Amino acid sequence: MFDMLDSLEYSEDNMNKNFSWQKDGLLPYQNTESARAFLLNSYRSLALPNAEEAAYNNCTRFIYSLEHGDVFLKQADHSPLAIQPVLAFYGLSHYIKACLLTVDFAYPATVHVLAHGLSARRKKKQNYSFLHDEVKTQRHGLFSHFSEKMFHVKHLEGSKLNMYNLLVQIPELAPIFSFQAKHSPFHPLQKNEDGLYLLSKQVLDDYQMTENRLTDFLKQKTNGNVTVEKAEKDTLLIKLSSLSQAAPCRFNSLNSQWVFSRYKTHEAFYPELLIYYSLLYNLSMIARYETEWWYDLLKLTPGKEFSLIKQFLSVSMRKIPHLIENFLNIKMD
């Protein structure tokens, strides 16, 4: 099912960028010469006065963070499902720390950025449902720090992120949601010869907006990265100006297709790495501290959550390295 991820390639000619996802796509960054040159280029683009010194000092840490992320993710892939969330979460955390070094040469400047940056309800209520659970964002910690530094997403303190709203934003889970609810969470996007994407006008009913209101809404929520260019009879033509900030448009790695979220929750506009971090954080906390509920889920598979969680973890171990690779490739261009 996931073999296609090993050789997945896609490109966007309208942005003069070529993104290729391949197996071990992070290897080119994991040697001293290449890593130092990459960091130097990143720091010069930030107009850092001591760019050469910073690249030299951070080179080894950058390489080791990527390698440690690899180790955790690969170990998760070969481990029992019961401990996969813990290993996958720490793998993602190390990957993110490597990415942070490309935009924040002094990371970690204070101890405040070392915490997870999220909090979960420790004691689960009776009849607890993962899909109804939430995590709360904190003022300090890795989550808010990388959200702002890597993706310019700010003002997250105190936000509550719902697990269902997060899971429904992962396009690779769409078949399960469609099977369970008889309703697809995404509209497929089809690219035309002008480099625009055709989106069904059904989205106007989904968002409960007029065409003009949706145009203004997307422009504001995406900082102009997703825009409605024009409308035809049953179709809106939209433009994606930046693949790294394309939400609520997302790329389905299983069928190599761009899709558009049918939900207008604030989670719909988060970059995917924020979504994966939030979900894996909560699942890792459950696996560590709520073992009775966790093992009931794994052994009895009582509800719809099991299929979604199992598929999510499987997708995470394949897609996370490619999302990290994509971020670094964009920094390199």
Side-chain angles (χ1 to χ4, degrees):
M1 186 177 185
F2 291 96
D3 292 343
M4 63 190 304
L5 279 172
D6 293 339
S7 59
L8 177 62
E9 295 187 355
Y10 67 103
S11 63
E12 294 298 317
D13 297 332
N14 60 317
M15 287 180 286
N16 297 317
K17 293 184 183 294
N18 182 56
F19 299 86
S20 64
W21 291 359
Q22 54 188 338
K23 191 173 184 179
D24 295 327
L26 294 172
L27 273 179
Y29 297 95
Q30 295 184 46
N31 69 81
T32 302
E33 182 178 351
S34 297
R36 188 178 300 164
F38 172 67
L39 290 174
L40 178 59
N41 182 63
S42 296
Y43 296 154
R44 282 176 173 169
S45 70
L46 298 172
L48 191 67
N50 58 333
E52 291 190 12
E53 179 184 358
Y56 178 85
N57 291 337
N58 286 334
C59 177
T60 302
R61 193 148 52 102
F62 173 75
I63 293 173
Y64 288 168
S65 293
L66 288 179
E67 184 175 346
H68 215 36
D70 284 342
V71 170
F72 271 107
L73 261 292
K74 288 175 181 175
Q75 189 61 48
D77 196 23
H78 294 91
S79 297
L81 186 61
I83 60 173
Q84 283 182 2
V86 179
L87 296 172
F89 175 70
Y90 282 112
L92 174 57
S93 297
H94 285 290
Y95 277 143
I96 287 173
K97 290 173 183 177
C99 291
L100 273 172
L101 288 173
T102 71
V103 294
D104 180 8
F105 78 98
Y107 176 81
T110 70
V111 296
H112 294 302
V113 299
L114 296 177
H116 296 317
L118 296 172
S119 63
R121 187 186 296 116
R122 284 295 181 93
K123 188 65 177 177
K124 305 304 181 186
K125 298 178 180 178
Q126 190 175 10
N127 300 321
Y128 165 78
S129 167
F130 179 76
L131 295 181
H132 296 152
D133 199 7
E134 296 175 331
V135 294
K136 188 175 182 180
T137 61
Q138 305 296 302
R139 172 179 295 185
H140 302 295
L142 183 58
F143 182 79
S144 59
H145 191 66
F146 87 80
S147 299
E148 179 176 350
K149 293 293 184 179
M150 291 170 58
F151 300 107
H152 311 293
V153 177
K154 303 178 182 180
H155 311 302
L156 292 176
E157 180 188 355
S159 299
K160 292 182 179 181
L161 309 181
N162 174 267
M163 297 300 103
Y164 176 88
N165 290 343
L166 291 170
L167 285 169
V168 82
Q169 292 304 321
I170 297 176
E172 291 84 359
L173 301 186
I176 297 179
F177 279 111
S178 297
F179 177 81
Q180 292 180 350
K182 312 302 180 187
H183 175 77
S184 175
F186 295 97
H187 287 295
L189 293 174
Q190 182 180 351
K191 191 177 181 181
N192 68 10
E193 62 276 6
D194 296 323
L196 300 177
Y197 288 88
L198 280 63
L199 171 64
S200 169
K201 278 191 175 181
Q202 175 66 39
V203 73
L204 299 177
D205 292 332
D206 296 331
Y207 280 44
Q208 297 184 323
M209 293 180 180
T210 63
E211 187 179 310
N212 289 337
R213 175 69 184 107
L214 179 66
T215 299
D216 294 339
F217 177 75
L218 289 177
K219 185 177 181 180
Q220 182 216 350
K221 293 291 287 186
T222 70
N223 294 318
N225 288 315
V226 181
T227 55
V228 179
E229 296 296 298
K230 56 182 177 179
E232 296 179 346
K233 183 179 180 181
D234 299 315
T235 307
L236 298 175
L237 277 73
I238 64 173
K239 180 180 179 181
L240 310 185
S241 300
S242 171
L243 289 181
S244 64
Q245 297 281 0
C249 303
R250 304 194 186 279
F251 186 74
N252 187 332
S253 60
L254 298 183
N255 60 12
S256 301
Q257 183 176 43
W258 281 92
V259 294
F260 190 101
S261 175
R262 300 182 69 170
Y263 297 87
K264 61 177 180 179
T265 60
H266 57 272
E267 290 93 343
F269 295 89
Y270 281 179
E272 271 188 270
L273 284 174
L274 275 69
I275 292 174
Y276 278 89
Y277 186 91
S278 303
L279 285 165
L280 286 173
Y281 165 78
N282 200 19
L283 284 171
S284 69
M285 295 294 284
I286 291 171
R288 281 179 285 175
Y289 300 113
E290 300 290 341
T291 51
E292 183 177 357
W293 182 88
W294 182 235
Y295 273 90
D296 278 347
L297 176 77
L298 299 182
K299 292 181 178 296
L300 303 178
T301 60
K304 298 178 179 180
E305 300 168 319
F306 176 77
S307 300
L308 290 165
I309 291 172
K310 185 175 181 180
Q311 176 76 338
F312 165 71
L313 289 170
S314 183
V315 169
S316 296
M317 289 175 280
R318 272 75 177 174
K319 196 172 185 182
I320 284 173
H322 301 308
L323 293 172
I324 297 298
E325 177 193 350
N326 204 27
F327 176 84
L328 295 178
N329 286 351
I330 291 173
K331 289 290 296 176
M332 185 169 58
D333 288 340

